[in-house]
Amino acid sequence: RKEVEQDPGPFNVPEGATVAFNCTYSNSASQSFFWYRQDCRKEPKLLMSVYSSGNEDGRFTAQLNRASQYISLLIRDSKLSDSATYLCVVNRDDKIIFGKGTRLHILP
Amino acid sequence: GAVVSQHPSRVICKSGTSVKIECRSLDFQATTMFWYRQFPKQSLMLMATSNEGSKATYEQGVEKDKFLINHASLTLSTLTVTSAHPEDSSFYICSASWGWGNTYNSPLHFGNGTRLTVT
């Protein structure tokens, strides 16, 4: 089992819909969590950090459930420009572990 | 915000030659930088962790003699792909962290990547 697992994609979602991504991690010693967005053939960019209390940034909401060892990302009112690959990243000790990413296609 | 600059963005080289990729942190001091490789439709794979003033730490399966990493200053790390082969063709990305506490608990800022094609 991989240490960080994400929903397999791609997700094809109509514009305006709400999209939810989940990511599970296997090591309970994991310390910090992030969501990155990667556009095709580009470098990843930080979307948001994920805090235990949950956090929101505009249309994006991230949540962490340490007991169940998963993090989630919710995108509301999705836009065409949200089409990208969303990477879950988990830090543990001296390791940075990337999920494989979930591809999202927003359909007009 | 923090900026990491990577150069070149694209390089085509012949098999057997060496290619150097530079990664610079432009507005902060990065004691630790990370180098990744990404093959098409695959996730980022960490190759090595580059520490300023000391030897890099390589991930299992990454040949340190083939992928030479130098981190001579707090703002510059270089990756040299030596004796490149077509199978080394990939997207190479560096990243660095700034901000609070442990490097590994801070968000990463990525360079814009280098697309290497070995013919």
Side-chain angles (χ1 to χ4, degrees):
Chain A
R1 182 188 173 191
K2 295 191 186 305
E3 185 161 353
V4 175
E5 296 206 67
Q6 292 185 243
D7 293 347
F11 288 9
N12 298 306
V13 174
E15 191 175 9
T18 296
V19 187
F21 298 129
N22 287 322
C23 171
T24 58
Y25 60 96
S26 60
N27 195 314
S28 60
S30 299
Q31 295 158 302
S32 55
F33 311 88
F34 306 93
W35 283 102
Y36 286 80
R37 169 202 168 121
Q38 185 175 25
D39 291 290
C40 188
R41 301 170 75 86
K42 295 287 183 69
E43 77 280 15
K45 292 187 188 296
L46 178 68
L47 183 62
M48 55 199 307
S49 303
V50 188
Y51 303 117
S52 297
S53 55
N55 47 301
E56 187 174 309
D57 182 3
R59 298 182 294 111
F60 299 84
T61 301
Q63 300 223 308
L64 166 63
N65 185 319
R66 285 193 182 270
S68 302
Q69 295 181 195
Y70 78 83
I71 68 173
S72 64
L73 175 68
L74 190 76
I75 305 176
R76 289 181 299 279
D77 186 25
S78 56
K79 312 221 179 280
L80 295 175
S81 57
D82 293 333
S83 297
T85 296
Y86 290 82
L87 301 166
C88 167
V89 178
V90 172
N91 289 8
R92 169 180 61 78
D93 298 326
D94 59 350
K95 289 285 185 187
I96 299 172
I97 304 122
F98 283 81
K100 288 198 161 218
T102 302
R103 292 180 66 186
L104 173 65
H105 298 301
I106 303 299
L107 308 172
Chain B
V3 178
V4 175
S5 174
Q6 187 172 340
H7 178 80
S9 59
R10 187 180 295 270
V11 59
I12 300 172
C13 71
K14 292 188 176 180
S15 187
T17 60
S18 295
V19 174
K20 180 187 281 189
I21 303 169
E22 291 187 350
C23 181
R24 294 180 186 273
S25 56
L26 296 185
D27 55 358
F28 65 101
Q29 293 184 329
T31 54
T32 305
M33 289 185 174
F34 305 91
W35 287 96
Y36 307 83
R37 182 167 50 184
Q38 186 175 36
F39 293 106
K41 298 188 178 181
Q42 294 189 26
S43 184
L44 291 170
M45 295 296 296
L46 180 65
M47 298 174 67
T49 302
S50 166
N51 300 297
E52 186 265 337
S54 64
K55 291 183 180 180
T57 303
Y58 289 81
E59 295 299 301
Q60 193 172 16
V62 178
E63 299 174 59
K64 62 180 180 181
D65 294 330
K66 179 170 182 63
F67 298 100
L68 300 179
I69 291 174
N70 184 281
H71 193 156
S73 77
L74 287 171
T75 58
L76 174 64
S77 176
T78 60
L79 168 68
T80 302
V81 183
T82 62
S83 188
H85 290 284
E87 56 264 32
D88 297 326
S89 298
S90 186
F91 190 48
Y92 293 85
I93 311 176
C94 70
S95 72
S97 179
W98 73 283
W100 63 95
N102 186 313
T103 293
Y104 301 94
N105 285 326
S106 302
L108 296 170
H109 297 274
F110 288 84
N112 51 7
T114 298
R115 191 159 300 281
L116 171 64
T117 303
V118 184
T119 61

